[in-house]
Amino acid sequence: MAWLAAAAPDPDACRREWERSALGTALLPAGRCWDVLIVPGRLGRPGQWLLDGLPGAGPVLFDPGDDTVAFFVPVGTAARWIGTGLRAAGDGSWILVPHPRRGERGLHWLVPPDGSGALTDPMVLELVLHEAAAALAEPGEHL
């Protein structure tokens, strides 16, 4: 929890917000400790499954409300990422982040932060997203 809260301008206020918020969420700035790449769930969920267990994997959020998967990546990745249908949150962006030990209702972690500061390697992420997209593009599947 400390690693994630460290991204906040006031980490103590962030922790209090997680505890007091009915949703268990806090708004955190991207671009300080991490950037976030947000992909449609149809691509992001299989991408996360492919990423699971590989070196270079980091925290992953799932938002069932808009069916998106958010991968936490190193600072600067959002500015350099080129991809269609993806959103990037970097310097100047804010994202809603649930408590690291929050349950599976609403916005929640598919892979919670482990406190080590590990982030998803953008090159590994690109490869697994290509693999997931290729599987979706097989006959009978539609992106």
Side-chain angles (χ1 to χ4, degrees), residues 4-35:
L4 193 57
D10 181 347
D12 291 330
C14 174
R15 286 186 198 95
R16 285 190 302 273
E17 182 67 22
W18 275 329
E19 298 302 326
R20 294 178 184 161
S21 162
L23 298 175
T25 58
L27 222 95
L28 294 177
R32 291 184 67 181
C33 298
W34 33 260
D35 284 358

PDB file of all heavy atoms in Angstrom, residues 4-35:
ATOM      1  N   LEU A   4       2.107   2.287  -3.557  1.00  0.00           N
ATOM      2  CA  LEU A   4       1.074   2.889  -4.389  1.00  0.00           C
ATOM      3  C   LEU A   4       0.715   4.281  -3.892  1.00  0.00           C
ATOM      4  O   LEU A   4       0.599   5.221  -4.675  1.00  0.00           O
ATOM      5  CB  LEU A   4      -0.163   1.986  -4.398  1.00  0.00           C
ATOM      6  CG  LEU A   4      -1.233   2.279  -5.424  1.00  0.00           C
ATOM      7  CD1 LEU A   4      -0.663   2.246  -6.840  1.00  0.00           C
ATOM      8  CD2 LEU A   4      -2.354   1.263  -5.300  1.00  0.00           C
ATOM      9  N   ALA A   5       0.563   4.445  -2.585  1.00  0.00           N
ATOM     10  CA  ALA A   5       0.218   5.748  -1.997  1.00  0.00           C
ATOM     11  C   ALA A   5       1.323   6.777  -2.218  1.00  0.00           C
ATOM     12  O   ALA A   5       1.053   7.982  -2.231  1.00  0.00           O
ATOM     13  CB  ALA A   5      -0.076   5.597  -0.510  1.00  0.00           C
ATOM     14  N   ALA A   6       2.559   6.321  -2.419  1.00  0.00           N
ATOM     15  CA  ALA A   6       3.682   7.241  -2.630  1.00  0.00           C
ATOM     16  C   ALA A   6       3.496   8.091  -3.879  1.00  0.00           C
ATOM     17  O   ALA A   6       4.113   9.157  -4.010  1.00  0.00           O
ATOM     18  CB  ALA A   6       4.992   6.467  -2.708  1.00  0.00           C
ATOM     19  N   ALA A   7       2.648   7.670  -4.794  1.00  0.00           N
ATOM     20  CA  ALA A   7       2.389   8.464  -5.999  1.00  0.00           C
ATOM     21  C   ALA A   7       1.552   9.703  -5.693  1.00  0.00           C
ATOM     22  O   ALA A   7       1.560  10.662  -6.458  1.00  0.00           O
ATOM     23  CB  ALA A   7       1.674   7.614  -7.044  1.00  0.00           C
ATOM     24  N   ALA A   8       0.840   9.691  -4.581  1.00  0.00           N
ATOM     25  CA  ALA A   8      -0.053  10.803  -4.220  1.00  0.00           C
ATOM     26  C   ALA A   8       0.750  11.996  -3.727  1.00  0.00           C
ATOM     27  O   ALA A   8       1.807  11.828  -3.111  1.00  0.00           O
ATOM     28  CB  ALA A   8      -1.024  10.362  -3.129  1.00  0.00           C
ATOM     29  N   PRO A   9       0.245  13.212  -3.966  1.00  0.00           N
ATOM     30  CA  PRO A   9       0.912  14.392  -3.414  1.00  0.00           C
ATOM     31  C   PRO A   9       0.995  14.323  -1.883  1.00  0.00           C
ATOM     32  O   PRO A   9       1.956  14.794  -1.295  1.00  0.00           O
ATOM     33  CB  PRO A   9       0.026  15.555  -3.859  1.00  0.00           C
ATOM     34  CG  PRO A   9      -0.709  15.043  -5.057  1.00  0.00           C
ATOM     35  CD  PRO A   9      -0.874  13.565  -4.828  1.00  0.00           C
ATOM     36  N   ASP A  10      -0.013  13.696  -1.248  1.00  0.00           N
ATOM     37  CA  ASP A  10      -0.034  13.500   0.199  1.00  0.00           C
ATOM     38  C   ASP A  10      -0.394  12.040   0.467  1.00  0.00           C
ATOM     39  O   ASP A  10      -1.575  11.683   0.507  1.00  0.00           O
ATOM     40  CB  ASP A  10      -1.048  14.444   0.847  1.00  0.00           C
ATOM     41  CG  ASP A  10      -1.099  14.319   2.356  1.00  0.00           C
ATOM     42  OD1 ASP A  10      -0.548  13.342   2.911  1.00  0.00           O
ATOM     43  OD2 ASP A  10      -1.706  15.200   2.993  1.00  0.00           O
ATOM     44  N   PRO A  11       0.617  11.169   0.633  1.00  0.00           N
ATOM     45  CA  PRO A  11       0.342   9.744   0.820  1.00  0.00           C
ATOM     46  C   PRO A  11      -0.583   9.432   2.000  1.00  0.00           C
ATOM     47  O   PRO A  11      -1.404   8.527   1.913  1.00  0.00           O
ATOM     48  CB  PRO A  11       1.735   9.136   1.034  1.00  0.00           C
ATOM     49  CG  PRO A  11       2.655  10.064   0.302  1.00  0.00           C
ATOM     50  CD  PRO A  11       2.056  11.433   0.522  1.00  0.00           C
ATOM     51  N   ASP A  12      -0.470  10.187   3.098  1.00  0.00           N
ATOM     52  CA  ASP A  12      -1.353   9.947   4.244  1.00  0.00           C
ATOM     53  C   ASP A  12      -2.802  10.249   3.892  1.00  0.00           C
ATOM     54  O   ASP A  12      -3.712   9.512   4.277  1.00  0.00           O
ATOM     55  CB  ASP A  12      -0.919  10.772   5.456  1.00  0.00           C
ATOM     56  CG  ASP A  12       0.400  10.281   6.037  1.00  0.00           C
ATOM     57  OD1 ASP A  12       0.686   9.068   5.924  1.00  0.00           O
ATOM     58  OD2 ASP A  12       1.142  11.106   6.599  1.00  0.00           O
ATOM     59  N   ALA A  13      -3.030  11.319   3.137  1.00  0.00           N
ATOM     60  CA  ALA A  13      -4.386  11.660   2.701  1.00  0.00           C
ATOM     61  C   ALA A  13      -4.932  10.570   1.770  1.00  0.00           C
ATOM     62  O   ALA A  13      -6.116  10.244   1.824  1.00  0.00           O
ATOM     63  CB  ALA A  13      -4.406  13.014   2.002  1.00  0.00           C
ATOM     64  N   CYS A  14      -4.069  10.021   0.951  1.00  0.00           N
ATOM     65  CA  CYS A  14      -4.474   8.930   0.054  1.00  0.00           C
ATOM     66  C   CYS A  14      -4.936   7.732   0.862  1.00  0.00           C
ATOM     67  O   CYS A  14      -5.995   7.169   0.597  1.00  0.00           O
ATOM     68  CB  CYS A  14      -3.314   8.551  -0.862  1.00  0.00           C
ATOM     69  SG  CYS A  14      -3.639   7.118  -1.899  1.00  0.00           S
ATOM     70  N   ARG A  15      -4.171   7.349   1.872  1.00  0.00           N
ATOM     71  CA  ARG A  15      -4.546   6.209   2.714  1.00  0.00           C
ATOM     72  C   ARG A  15      -5.883   6.457   3.417  1.00  0.00           C
ATOM     73  O   ARG A  15      -6.732   5.570   3.494  1.00  0.00           O
ATOM     74  CB  ARG A  15      -3.448   5.935   3.733  1.00  0.00           C
ATOM     75  CG  ARG A  15      -2.224   5.299   3.136  1.00  0.00           C
ATOM     76  CD  ARG A  15      -1.221   4.916   4.249  1.00  0.00           C
ATOM     77  NE  ARG A  15       0.072   4.719   3.688  1.00  0.00           N
ATOM     78  CZ  ARG A  15       1.038   5.640   3.619  1.00  0.00           C
ATOM     79  NH1 ARG A  15       0.850   6.844   4.104  1.00  0.00           N
ATOM     80  NH2 ARG A  15       2.196   5.358   3.065  1.00  0.00           N
ATOM     81  N   ARG A  16      -6.067   7.679   3.917  1.00  0.00           N
ATOM     82  CA  ARG A  16      -7.338   8.019   4.574  1.00  0.00           C
ATOM     83  C   ARG A  16      -8.497   7.929   3.587  1.00  0.00           C
ATOM     84  O   ARG A  16      -9.569   7.431   3.921  1.00  0.00           O
ATOM     85  CB  ARG A  16      -7.272   9.417   5.192  1.00  0.00           C
ATOM     86  CG  ARG A  16      -6.458   9.486   6.465  1.00  0.00           C
ATOM     87  CD  ARG A  16      -6.617  10.809   7.186  1.00  0.00           C
ATOM     88  NE  ARG A  16      -6.238  11.958   6.379  1.00  0.00           N
ATOM     89  CZ  ARG A  16      -5.000  12.445   6.284  1.00  0.00           C
ATOM     90  NH1 ARG A  16      -4.003  11.885   6.952  1.00  0.00           N
ATOM     91  NH2 ARG A  16      -4.747  13.498   5.530  1.00  0.00           N
ATOM     92  N   GLU A  17      -8.283   8.387   2.357  1.00  0.00           N
ATOM     93  CA  GLU A  17      -9.331   8.335   1.332  1.00  0.00           C
ATOM     94  C   GLU A  17      -9.719   6.886   1.036  1.00  0.00           C
ATOM     95  O   GLU A  17     -10.893   6.569   0.894  1.00  0.00           O
ATOM     96  CB  GLU A  17      -8.880   9.045   0.056  1.00  0.00           C
ATOM     97  CG  GLU A  17      -9.911   9.081  -1.034  1.00  0.00           C
ATOM     98  CD  GLU A  17     -11.138   9.930  -0.702  1.00  0.00           C
ATOM     99  OE1 GLU A  17     -11.046  10.810   0.171  1.00  0.00           O
ATOM    100  OE2 GLU A  17     -12.188   9.699  -1.324  1.00  0.00           O
ATOM    101  N   TRP A  18      -8.732   6.008   0.925  1.00  0.00           N
ATOM    102  CA  TRP A  18      -9.036   4.601   0.691  1.00  0.00           C
ATOM    103  C   TRP A  18      -9.900   4.028   1.808  1.00  0.00           C
ATOM    104  O   TRP A  18     -10.814   3.269   1.563  1.00  0.00           O
ATOM    105  CB  TRP A  18      -7.754   3.774   0.611  1.00  0.00           C
ATOM    106  CG  TRP A  18      -7.115   3.737  -0.736  1.00  0.00           C
ATOM    107  CD1 TRP A  18      -7.734   3.808  -1.945  1.00  0.00           C
ATOM    108  CD2 TRP A  18      -5.724   3.605  -1.009  1.00  0.00           C
ATOM    109  NE1 TRP A  18      -6.809   3.733  -2.956  1.00  0.00           N
ATOM    110  CE2 TRP A  18      -5.571   3.607  -2.409  1.00  0.00           C
ATOM    111  CE3 TRP A  18      -4.599   3.492  -0.214  1.00  0.00           C
ATOM    112  CZ2 TRP A  18      -4.330   3.478  -3.021  1.00  0.00           C
ATOM    113  CZ3 TRP A  18      -3.371   3.368  -0.824  1.00  0.00           C
ATOM    114  CH2 TRP A  18      -3.234   3.365  -2.219  1.00  0.00           C
ATOM    115  N   GLU A  19      -9.570   4.404   3.037  1.00  0.00           N
ATOM    116  CA  GLU A  19     -10.291   3.858   4.188  1.00  0.00           C
ATOM    117  C   GLU A  19     -11.686   4.465   4.338  1.00  0.00           C
ATOM    118  O   GLU A  19     -12.618   3.779   4.748  1.00  0.00           O
ATOM    119  CB  GLU A  19      -9.481   4.080   5.477  1.00  0.00           C
ATOM    120  CG  GLU A  19      -8.133   3.388   5.478  1.00  0.00           C
ATOM    121  CD  GLU A  19      -8.206   1.883   5.282  1.00  0.00           C
ATOM    122  OE1 GLU A  19      -9.172   1.261   5.747  1.00  0.00           O
ATOM    123  OE2 GLU A  19      -7.279   1.323   4.660  1.00  0.00           O
ATOM    124  N   ARG A  20     -11.846   5.741   4.013  1.00  0.00           N
ATOM    125  CA  ARG A  20     -13.112   6.447   4.251  1.00  0.00           C
ATOM    126  C   ARG A  20     -14.067   6.436   3.066  1.00  0.00           C
ATOM    127  O   ARG A  20     -15.266   6.609   3.233  1.00  0.00           O
ATOM    128  CB  ARG A  20     -12.825   7.889   4.655  1.00  0.00           C
ATOM    129  CG  ARG A  20     -12.120   7.980   5.976  1.00  0.00           C
ATOM    130  CD  ARG A  20     -11.812   9.399   6.330  1.00  0.00           C
ATOM    131  NE  ARG A  20     -11.049   9.452   7.573  1.00  0.00           N
ATOM    132  CZ  ARG A  20     -10.338  10.468   7.952  1.00  0.00           C
ATOM    133  NH1 ARG A  20     -10.282  11.564   7.203  1.00  0.00           N
ATOM    134  NH2 ARG A  20      -9.670  10.434   9.084  1.00  0.00           N
ATOM    135  N   SER A  21     -13.550   6.274   1.885  1.00  0.00           N
ATOM    136  CA  SER A  21     -14.372   6.302   0.680  1.00  0.00           C
ATOM    137  C   SER A  21     -15.294   5.093   0.651  1.00  0.00           C
ATOM    138  O   SER A  21     -14.861   3.964   0.907  1.00  0.00           O
ATOM    139  CB  SER A  21     -13.468   6.310  -0.561  1.00  0.00           C
ATOM    140  OG  SER A  21     -14.179   5.944  -1.705  1.00  0.00           O
ATOM    141  N   ALA A  22     -16.547   5.341   0.329  1.00  0.00           N
ATOM    142  CA  ALA A  22     -17.509   4.237   0.228  1.00  0.00           C
ATOM    143  C   ALA A  22     -17.067   3.228  -0.836  1.00  0.00           C
ATOM    144  O   ALA A  22     -17.335   2.034  -0.718  1.00  0.00           O
ATOM    145  CB  ALA A  22     -18.894   4.782  -0.100  1.00  0.00           C
ATOM    146  N   LEU A  23     -16.401   3.706  -1.867  1.00  0.00           N
ATOM    147  CA  LEU A  23     -15.941   2.828  -2.943  1.00  0.00           C
ATOM    148  C   LEU A  23     -14.540   2.273  -2.692  1.00  0.00           C
ATOM    149  O   LEU A  23     -14.063   1.420  -3.437  1.00  0.00           O
ATOM    150  CB  LEU A  23     -15.964   3.566  -4.278  1.00  0.00           C
ATOM    151  CG  LEU A  23     -17.342   4.046  -4.739  1.00  0.00           C
ATOM    152  CD1 LEU A  23     -17.215   4.863  -6.012  1.00  0.00           C
ATOM    153  CD2 LEU A  23     -18.275   2.872  -4.938  1.00  0.00           C
ATOM    154  N   GLY A  24     -13.847   2.793  -1.673  1.00  0.00           N
ATOM    155  CA  GLY A  24     -12.486   2.327  -1.389  1.00  0.00           C
ATOM    156  C   GLY A  24     -11.500   2.735  -2.450  1.00  0.00           C
ATOM    157  O   GLY A  24     -10.572   1.995  -2.753  1.00  0.00           O
ATOM    158  N   THR A  25     -11.705   3.922  -3.025  1.00  0.00           N
ATOM    159  CA  THR A  25     -10.841   4.393  -4.107  1.00  0.00           C
ATOM    160  C   THR A  25     -10.234   5.755  -3.759  1.00  0.00           C
ATOM    161  O   THR A  25     -10.730   6.466  -2.898  1.00  0.00           O
ATOM    162  CB  THR A  25     -11.626   4.528  -5.423  1.00  0.00           C
ATOM    163  OG1 THR A  25     -12.719   5.422  -5.212  1.00  0.00           O
ATOM    164  CG2 THR A  25     -12.137   3.183  -5.901  1.00  0.00           C
ATOM    165  N   ALA A  26      -9.176   6.092  -4.468  1.00  0.00           N
ATOM    166  CA  ALA A  26      -8.536   7.404  -4.351  1.00  0.00           C
ATOM    167  C   ALA A  26      -8.045   7.814  -5.738  1.00  0.00           C
ATOM    168  O   ALA A  26      -7.715   6.962  -6.561  1.00  0.00           O
ATOM    169  CB  ALA A  26      -7.366   7.349  -3.371  1.00  0.00           C
ATOM    170  N   LEU A  27      -8.012   9.105  -5.979  1.00  0.00           N
ATOM    171  CA  LEU A  27      -7.495   9.631  -7.242  1.00  0.00           C
ATOM    172  C   LEU A  27      -5.997   9.835  -7.099  1.00  0.00           C
ATOM    173  O   LEU A  27      -5.547  10.509  -6.166  1.00  0.00           O
ATOM    174  CB  LEU A  27      -8.170  10.970  -7.563  1.00  0.00           C
ATOM    175  CG  LEU A  27      -8.546  11.077  -9.020  1.00  0.00           C
ATOM    176  CD1 LEU A  27      -9.996  10.635  -9.122  1.00  0.00           C
ATOM    177  CD2 LEU A  27      -8.416  12.460  -9.514  1.00  0.00           C
ATOM    178  N   LEU A  28      -5.222   9.242  -8.004  1.00  0.00           N
ATOM    179  CA  LEU A  28      -3.765   9.355  -7.956  1.00  0.00           C
ATOM    180  C   LEU A  28      -3.233   9.878  -9.290  1.00  0.00           C
ATOM    181  O   LEU A  28      -3.777   9.552 -10.345  1.00  0.00           O
ATOM    182  CB  LEU A  28      -3.129   7.998  -7.655  1.00  0.00           C
ATOM    183  CG  LEU A  28      -3.406   7.412  -6.266  1.00  0.00           C
ATOM    184  CD1 LEU A  28      -2.775   6.036  -6.142  1.00  0.00           C
ATOM    185  CD2 LEU A  28      -2.884   8.338  -5.195  1.00  0.00           C
ATOM    186  N   PRO A  29      -2.147  10.668  -9.225  1.00  0.00           N
ATOM    187  CA  PRO A  29      -1.569  11.186 -10.469  1.00  0.00           C
ATOM    188  C   PRO A  29      -0.690  10.154 -11.158  1.00  0.00           C
ATOM    189  O   PRO A  29       0.139   9.505 -10.527  1.00  0.00           O
ATOM    190  CB  PRO A  29      -0.734  12.376  -9.980  1.00  0.00           C
ATOM    191  CG  PRO A  29      -0.318  11.993  -8.595  1.00  0.00           C
ATOM    192  CD  PRO A  29      -1.467  11.181  -8.037  1.00  0.00           C
ATOM    193  N   ALA A  30      -0.889  10.001 -12.434  1.00  0.00           N
ATOM    194  CA  ALA A  30       0.022   9.185 -13.241  1.00  0.00           C
ATOM    195  C   ALA A  30       1.230  10.053 -13.568  1.00  0.00           C
ATOM    196  O   ALA A  30       1.192  11.273 -13.416  1.00  0.00           O
ATOM    197  CB  ALA A  30      -0.679   8.723 -14.506  1.00  0.00           C
ATOM    198  N   GLY A  31       2.286   9.435 -14.021  1.00  0.00           N
ATOM    199  CA  GLY A  31       3.457  10.183 -14.462  1.00  0.00           C
ATOM    200  C   GLY A  31       4.451  10.513 -13.366  1.00  0.00           C
ATOM    201  O   GLY A  31       5.490  11.100 -13.638  1.00  0.00           O
ATOM    202  N   ARG A  32       4.160  10.170 -12.130  1.00  0.00           N
ATOM    203  CA  ARG A  32       5.103  10.415 -11.022  1.00  0.00           C
ATOM    204  C   ARG A  32       5.897   9.152 -10.699  1.00  0.00           C
ATOM    205  O   ARG A  32       7.119   9.188 -10.628  1.00  0.00           O
ATOM    206  CB  ARG A  32       4.364  10.877  -9.776  1.00  0.00           C
ATOM    207  CG  ARG A  32       3.780  12.261  -9.920  1.00  0.00           C
ATOM    208  CD  ARG A  32       3.136  12.714  -8.644  1.00  0.00           C
ATOM    209  NE  ARG A  32       4.177  12.895  -7.628  1.00  0.00           N
ATOM    210  CZ  ARG A  32       3.920  13.262  -6.390  1.00  0.00           C
ATOM    211  NH1 ARG A  32       2.687  13.461  -5.997  1.00  0.00           N
ATOM    212  NH2 ARG A  32       4.890  13.423  -5.533  1.00  0.00           N
ATOM    213  N   CYS A  33       5.196   8.065 -10.459  1.00  0.00           N
ATOM    214  CA  CYS A  33       5.827   6.777 -10.120  1.00  0.00           C
ATOM    215  C   CYS A  33       5.571   5.733 -11.190  1.00  0.00           C
ATOM    216  O   CYS A  33       6.266   4.718 -11.236  1.00  0.00           O
ATOM    217  CB  CYS A  33       5.291   6.258  -8.787  1.00  0.00           C
ATOM    218  SG  CYS A  33       5.631   7.333  -7.396  1.00  0.00           S
ATOM    219  N   TRP A  34       4.562   5.956 -12.004  1.00  0.00           N
ATOM    220  CA  TRP A  34       4.144   5.017 -13.034  1.00  0.00           C
ATOM    221  C   TRP A  34       3.237   5.727 -14.027  1.00  0.00           C
ATOM    222  O   TRP A  34       2.692   6.774 -13.746  1.00  0.00           O
ATOM    223  CB  TRP A  34       3.394   3.823 -12.446  1.00  0.00           C
ATOM    224  CG  TRP A  34       2.582   4.147 -11.224  1.00  0.00           C
ATOM    225  CD1 TRP A  34       2.926   3.917  -9.934  1.00  0.00           C
ATOM    226  CD2 TRP A  34       1.312   4.814 -11.175  1.00  0.00           C
ATOM    227  NE1 TRP A  34       1.943   4.394  -9.090  1.00  0.00           N
ATOM    228  CE2 TRP A  34       0.939   4.946  -9.826  1.00  0.00           C
ATOM    229  CE3 TRP A  34       0.436   5.319 -12.134  1.00  0.00           C
ATOM    230  CZ2 TRP A  34      -0.247   5.533  -9.411  1.00  0.00           C
ATOM    231  CZ3 TRP A  34      -0.740   5.926 -11.719  1.00  0.00           C
ATOM    232  CH2 TRP A  34      -1.067   6.022 -10.373  1.00  0.00           C
ATOM    233  N   ASP A  35       3.122   5.151 -15.200  1.00  0.00           N
ATOM    234  CA  ASP A  35       2.126   5.518 -16.203  1.00  0.00           C
ATOM    235  C   ASP A  35       1.160   4.347 -16.289  1.00  0.00           C
ATOM    236  O   ASP A  35       1.428   3.271 -15.742  1.00  0.00           O
ATOM    237  CB  ASP A  35       2.764   5.748 -17.577  1.00  0.00           C
ATOM    238  CG  ASP A  35       3.510   7.067 -17.701  1.00  0.00           C
ATOM    239  OD1 ASP A  35       3.522   7.855 -16.735  1.00  0.00           O
ATOM    240  OD2 ASP A  35       4.108   7.284 -18.768  1.00  0.00           O
TER     241      ASP A  35
END
